[in-house]
Structures are given as structure tokens and as C-alpha cells.
Amino acid sequence: ATAFLAFRDCPADVLLLETGLGGRLDATNVIERPLLTAITTVSLDHQHFLGETLGEIAGEKAGILKPGVPGIIARQEPAAAAAITARAGAIGAPLLCQDADWRIEAVDGHLHFAAADGDRDAPMPGLVGVHQVQNAGLALACLRQMDGFPLNGAHLTAGLLGANWPGRLQRLEVGDLADRLPAGSELWLDGGHNPGAGVALAETLAQWREGEASPRPIFLVTGMLTSKDAVSFLAPFAALSPQVFGVPVPYEDASMTSGQIVEAATAVGLLASPVADVAEALDRIATVSGDGVPPRVLICGTLYLAGSILAAAG
């Protein structure tokens, strides 16, 4: 309610209103006729509120669709796509779906967006990660439906290159944590916490490794909440064989113990050790790395852990 009062008193040209949880019963769903709606790729998350299957969760998220309002839909698993399509048909919401109505791909270092009303090339997004290509495509598809806004190529370039998202594959290059690692190391921070995030992060790490003459050893420093599925989050990393250090999430009663993280990592075949905190994990990594190829370290598993690290860094 406070947010809507603020939006009323300080009107913007465009209000990008992100659903808090699910969609059908979320407080943001009081907007009866938005300009458009958008649904990113649905993954298993918040099952205790939204349902145990992708179809059930997608059905909740499809609750933001509105009669006569275009719904821009990212690529979905078949069960999620079926739930979204069924809801759209029931209420008369026209859908524009990735792969059917629009496409996005990275070609020779730039983005190529294709749709029935024409193609467009754009720069690769400034946000890091292979999954950001899909996110950029969804944004471009939304912009195609926003008549009345004088956007040109320069605006699109500025938006793609200038987007900033703390805690999402954010490089930590200075500060106490980075200083604990050997010279030339890479330290990354990401708050992703569900199976889809695990896939996206693992795919990005794999892509980076492909281009390296001397592949960096990979380490994960992982903390998660008890409401999340640590096994499904960590499983996509198995092919990369990273060493995992389990950490508790500071100041969170609902944190998994470092031992629970280790159990999950071991269940998917990863070498894992419990530590007291992120600083200890990095000190251990520095010792293990020695004078070899500088490591690539990813701190991940929850936005609560990412937030505590960014808060401590000021």
C-alpha cells in the first residue's frame, strides 16, 4: 500500500511492478489493466506456497495475466507453458511467446532479436551470465508492445549496457574478501537459490572455462535457507567438479548449517567441507590453490548471504 501511494504521488512514465510471490494472490495483482504483463522462465521455488510442480507454480504466476492485455512469455518447460497457455485461453489474454513469436540469440558478440514485425541487432547486455541473453530478449519483446514511447537504438543500447544488478554475478575485486585470495583470482557473488539459478550459473562457469587455455579451478562458497532445495541447486555444477565450502547464512534463523550444505554437495558427487564463514572459506581456498592457476570463486545460494556480504563491504 505504501508503494502504491508513492507511485501515485511520484508518477513515472513506466512503472515496472515486480510480483512479490507467485502472482495470482500477490498484492501487486490489484492493477486491473497494466500496459502488458511478462513471465520469465518458471523454476521450482517457494513450493510450500505455490505448489510442488512446475505446472502448479506456473499456474500461480499466470495469475498476473489480464483479459486483452498482451502477455510476454519467456521460454518455458512444457508443463509450465501448458499452465500459462491454459490461463491465457480462459481469460482471453493474448500471448507472445519466445521461440513461437519472438527469438533472441547471441551472434558474433552481439544480440539478434527476431519477431514478426522485424529484426533488430543490439549489444550484449552489461549484466554477466549466459542467462542474461534470455532476460534481454524478454525486455526487448516487451518494448515492442509499448507504443507511444519514443525509444530508439541509442536508448536500447544504453539500457542493455547500463543495467546494474547487485548480487547477481557481481565481481568483487576489492576489499577484505578479495584480498584473501591469491593474486589474479576471480571472486564472484550471486544470490540465486533455486534449480534454475543453479543451471544458469553452471552454464556460465562452463562457458568461461571453455575459453581458457589453462582452466581455473572452481570453488563454490554456498549458504542456503532451509526452505530451499540445496541438492537441486548444486546438481548442475557436478560436471564442473568444483570444491564446495558450506557456510551458514549470517543472522538468519532459517539458515541451513554448513554441514547440511556439505551433505547436499556430497549427494551430487562434489567434494565439500564445512566452514564457519565466508572468510574462512576463502582462506582455505587460498591455501589449497597455492602457486597454481588462480582460482575462480563463486559465493552463492541465497540473496540473504549476498546481502550480508555487500552490507559488510559498505
Side-chain angles (χ1 to χ4, degrees), residues 2-312:
T2 303
F4 282 123
L5 287 172
F7 300 144
R8 181 199 66 183
D9 294 340
C10 301
D13 296 318
V14 178
L15 170 59
L16 181 60
L17 189 63
E18 183 185 11
T19 303
L21 180 68
R24 183 176 64 92
L25 299 177
D26 190 77
T28 57
N29 207 18
V30 299
I31 303 298
E32 294 182 354
R33 191 169 179 83
L35 181 64
L36 54 85
T37 61
I39 300 178
T40 58
T41 301
V42 176
S43 181
L44 290 174
D45 205 358
H46 302 293
Q47 290 97 312
H48 50 301
F49 291 114
L50 304 180
E52 294 297 327
T53 68
L54 276 180
E56 290 173 326
I57 295 171
E60 291 293 319
K61 292 180 179 289
I64 67 168
L65 299 174
K66 303 292 185 294
V69 175
I72 317 303
I73 312 299
R75 182 180 294 139
Q76 306 290 340
E77 293 292 331
I84 294 170
T85 301
R87 174 62 180 172
I91 66 171
L95 298 184
L96 294 167
C97 300
Q98 185 177 357
D99 299 326
D101 302 293
W102 57 272
R103 296 179 200 58
I104 186 71
E105 60 181 336
V107 180
D108 297 330
H110 68 272
L111 295 177
H112 181 71
F113 179 88
D117 58 350
D119 297 1
R120 175 182 286 277
D121 289 330
M124 291 290 288
L127 295 173
V128 179
V130 295
H131 51 295
Q132 297 299 352
V133 171
Q134 303 301 315
N135 287 338
L138 186 64
L140 292 171
C142 288
L143 289 172
R144 287 292 182 97
Q145 301 302 310
M146 294 173 59
D147 295 333
F149 295 94
L151 298 173
N152 57 36
H155 295 132
L156 298 182
T157 296
L160 288 167
L161 296 180
N164 179 42
W165 199 355
R168 295 293 190 178
L169 274 180
Q170 179 179 356
R171 180 84 178 269
L172 303 179
E173 299 185 79
V174 297
D176 175 67
L177 295 181
D179 291 343
R180 292 175 181 271
L181 295 173
S185 301
E186 291 185 5
L187 179 61
W188 297 87
L189 178 67
D190 193 274
H193 49 259
N194 61 27
V199 170
L201 292 171
E203 287 181 348
T204 298
L205 292 176
Q207 185 183 74
W208 290 347
R209 175 175 276 183
E210 288 175 2
E212 295 174 335
S214 299
R216 293 176 181 268
I218 297 173
F219 295 87
L220 302 182
V221 180
T222 305
M224 300 188 73
L225 301 186
T226 54
S227 58
K228 304 303 177 183
D229 183 350
V231 170
S232 295
F233 173 77
L234 290 169
F237 295 98
L240 298 170
S241 300
Q243 185 171 343
V244 179
F245 288 93
V247 299
V249 182
Y251 316 115
E252 287 297 328
D253 293 337
S255 170
M256 289 185 184
T257 66
S258 55
Q260 288 173 313
I261 297 293
V262 169
E263 289 177 8
T266 302
V268 298
L270 297 176
L271 177 64
S273 304
V275 292
D277 53 33
V278 171
E280 181 184 347
L282 298 181
D283 289 342
R284 294 271 295 274
I285 292 169
T287 300
V288 171
S289 299
D291 296 325
V293 177
R296 175 171 290 127
V297 181
L298 173 61
I299 304 170
C300 59
T302 173
L303 287 166
Y304 291 92
L305 179 61
S308 69
I309 288 173
L310 294 178

